[in-house]
Amino acid sequence: QEEATLASLEMQLAACRILAPRDGLVVHAQQAQSRNSSPLAAGGTVRQRQPLLTMPDLNQLRVEVRVHESQVARVATGQSVSLRFEALPQLACSGRVLAIGKAPVPTNWMTSDVVEYPVTVELTGPPSQLRLGMTAVAEITVGPLQTR
């Protein structure tokens, strides 16, 4: 019976194909977990169409910055952003505000009195030296305070 099970599993493995949308770098073994998902583990069961790998498009890099509540009303989509990266101080990069979060970034006990909103910045022509996860400092060119 064990040999039959092994033969069946080997046949399934031979028929298995994992397709990538493009050539690239695999960064994460699984996307953020939801209540209905379980972590990937050797020998674990996966369901049909379950994401197994994440491959970011390195030509469309984005940075999520946090903007203090006293300044977020001055930020609007489309505004220009200049970025500097801690690991590459000589490199300047530009971008634009793509989205502004409606809910504040979750806090912890150390930052419970600070309210910041996530702002997504899309990089314009990101240089090849950039790597995922680098620390960035962003300066957003803002307009006057918006009172809506």
Side-chain angles (χ1 to χ4, degrees):
Q1 185 178 8
E2 288 178 359
E3 287 179 359
T5 301
L6 179 60
S8 172
L9 291 172
E10 286 175 342
M11 196 167 74
Q12 289 178 36
L13 185 58
C16 179
R17 287 185 0 172
I18 297 176
L19 303 175
R22 65 188 167 280
D23 290 342
L25 174 69
V26 174
V27 192
H28 302 284
Q30 186 178 11
Q31 293 177 348
Q33 284 183 250
S34 69
R35 237 189 296 184
N36 300 331
S37 70
S38 59
L40 282 178
T45 303
V46 294
R47 65 185 188 286
Q48 184 177 8
R49 302 209 180 274
Q50 176 183 352
L52 302 177
L53 308 169
T54 301
M55 295 178 60
D57 184 350
L58 299 178
N59 294 318
Q60 296 181 353
L61 293 179
R62 294 179 178 172
V63 174
E64 184 175 293
V65 297
R66 297 175 177 190
V67 176
H68 192 270
E69 66 180 325
S70 66
Q71 299 297 315
V72 76
R74 299 178 68 189
V75 178
T77 56
Q79 288 176 328
S80 64
V81 181
S82 63
L83 297 126
R84 291 212 171 270
F85 295 88
E86 207 171 278
L88 304 165
Q90 76 288 357
L91 180 69
C93 189
S94 62
R96 66 181 185 87
V97 174
L98 191 64
I100 305 160
K102 298 286 185 192
V105 175
T107 61
N108 60 33
W109 67 274
M110 289 180 62
T111 61
S112 61
D113 60 341
V114 177
V115 178
E116 296 175 316
Y117 289 85
V119 173
T120 304
V121 175
E122 181 178 51
L123 276 65
T124 308
S128 61
Q129 300 97 317
L130 290 182
R131 300 289 181 260
L132 298 176
M134 285 185 165
T135 302
V137 174
E139 290 184 15
I140 302 171
T141 305
V142 297
L145 184 63
Q146 299 174 7
T147 55
R148 293 182 205 170

